[in-house]
């Protein structure tokens, strides 16, 4: 099952789960539209052929949804009964913290082993260095910012570019460093507006162009709000705003995401064979690790402070 926001590489994960499952003589089903499909019994048998030709495709062939009914006990009970009806003995859930929160509650209420695979472009799950989709999203942002930089430098403009990350600045930080951004604003750091003002006072006049990367969950309220404030304080500059939006969630997954998703998918099957019941598969120092599902949700993964510092030094 894939659930919550989609992420490039989810299909590669589905493919690996199906094929590693079949390799280990398991019968594999796909649950459509996340917990919604689970409740409705929208469940289909998966074969090796049903996952042919999908490793390079973004999105998720199983589709996804955010499901309010699953927040209620009644909804989870119906979902569990559907799984039992189909003879399903374990669940592999690919998604982010919302998906894992639901999975974790369900695994406590009912007798159902659940393995989580981290699939979100936000990279905000504790216990894994990388989530499936993050690398692709970062590359999508970098490609877009490179293009914006061309027009920004032609016009000598300051561009505020908003990237995804309602609660986390991982996409902003990594793409900001990779695209040579002059400033990166993330939700994890407070009081950044003042720093940005100082930067405008000290640097911008000497520069032909500037790229300011803003994570959508940044404390001031996003790129449009900050751009307006800066515009009113520095009317001498030509300022534009671009919100990259859902382009970051689509597209063909990078080789890194395809390989990570494939490794994690196969590791989920191994974990079930090892009688694991409520864990997330993670990647730490390029090794597969098992993280208790509730730890992956409850513990906070911080952005890399060294990278934040680096971004300031080399801008
Ligand atoms: O996938 C995570 C995420 O991209 C967040 O960064 C973003 O705020 C959110 O999903 C938006 O998702 P949706 O438009 O599906 O509600």
């Amino acid at each position: 099952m894939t659930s919550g926001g989609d992420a490039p590489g989810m299909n590669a994960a589905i493919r690996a789960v199906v094929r590693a499952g079949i390799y280990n003589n398991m019968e594999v089903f796909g649950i459509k539209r996340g917990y919604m499909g689970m409740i409705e019994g929208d469940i289909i048998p998966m074969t090796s052929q049903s996952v042919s030709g999908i490793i390079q495709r973004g999105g998720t062939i199983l589709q996804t949804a955010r499901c309010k009914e699953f927040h209620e006990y009644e909804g989870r009970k119906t979902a569990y009964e559907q799984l039992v009806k189909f003879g399903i003995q374990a669940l592999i859930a690919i998604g982010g913290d919302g998906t894992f929160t639901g999975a974790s509650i369900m695994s406590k209420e009912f007798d159902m082993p659940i393995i989580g695979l981290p699939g979100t472009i936000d990279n905000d799950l504790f216990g894994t260095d990388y989530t499936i989709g993050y690398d692709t999203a970062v590359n999508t942002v970098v490609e877009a910012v490179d293009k914006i930089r061309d027009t920004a430098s032609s016009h000598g403009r300051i561009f505020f570019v908003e990237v995804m990350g309602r609660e986390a600045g991982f996409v902003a930080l990594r793409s900001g460093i990779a695209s040579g951004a002059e400033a990166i604003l993330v939700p994890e750091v407070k009081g950044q507006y003042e720093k940005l003002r100082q930067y405008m006072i000290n640097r911008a006049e000497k520069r032909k162009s500037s790229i300011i990367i803003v994570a959508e969950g940044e404390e001031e309220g996003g790129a449009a709000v900050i751009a307006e404030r800066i515009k009113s304080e520095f009317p001498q500059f030509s300022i534009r705003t671009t919100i990259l939006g859902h382009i970051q969630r689509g597209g063909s997954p990078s080789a890194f995401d395809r390989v990570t998703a494939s490794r994690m998918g196969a590791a989920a099957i191994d974990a079930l064979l090892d009688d694991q019941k409520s864990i997330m598969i993670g990647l730490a120092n390029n090794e597969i690790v098992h993280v208790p599902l509730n730890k992956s949700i409850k513990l906070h993964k911080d952005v890399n402070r060294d990278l934040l510092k680096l971004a300031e030094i080399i801008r």
Side-chain angles (χ1 to χ4, degrees), residues 213-262:
I213 301 282
V214 184
E216 62 177 331
E218 170 283 335
E219 68 174 341
E220 299 290 325
V225 177
I226 297 194
E228 276 316 307
R229 277 186 74 181
I230 292 287
K231 252 187 217 175
S232 63
E233 286 195 61
F234 302 89
Q236 68 274 33
F237 297 129
S238 176
I239 293 174
R240 294 288 185 275
T241 306
T242 302
I243 296 173
L244 292 182
H246 287 77
I247 192 171
Q248 296 161 90
R249 287 245 293 263
S252 182
S254 66
F256 182 86
D257 273 331
R258 295 181 199 193
V259 174
T260 302
S262 301

Side-chain angles (χ1 to χ4, degrees), residues 4-7 64 66 119-124 163-168 171 216-217 245-246 248-249:
D6 63 347
T64 184
R66 302 191 198 271
T120 163
I121 66 158
D122 290 338
N123 199 33
D124 58 348
V163 303
M164 276 187 165
R166 203 158 30 198
E167 273 140 40
V171 171
E216 62 177 331
H246 287 77
Q248 296 161 90
R249 287 245 293 263

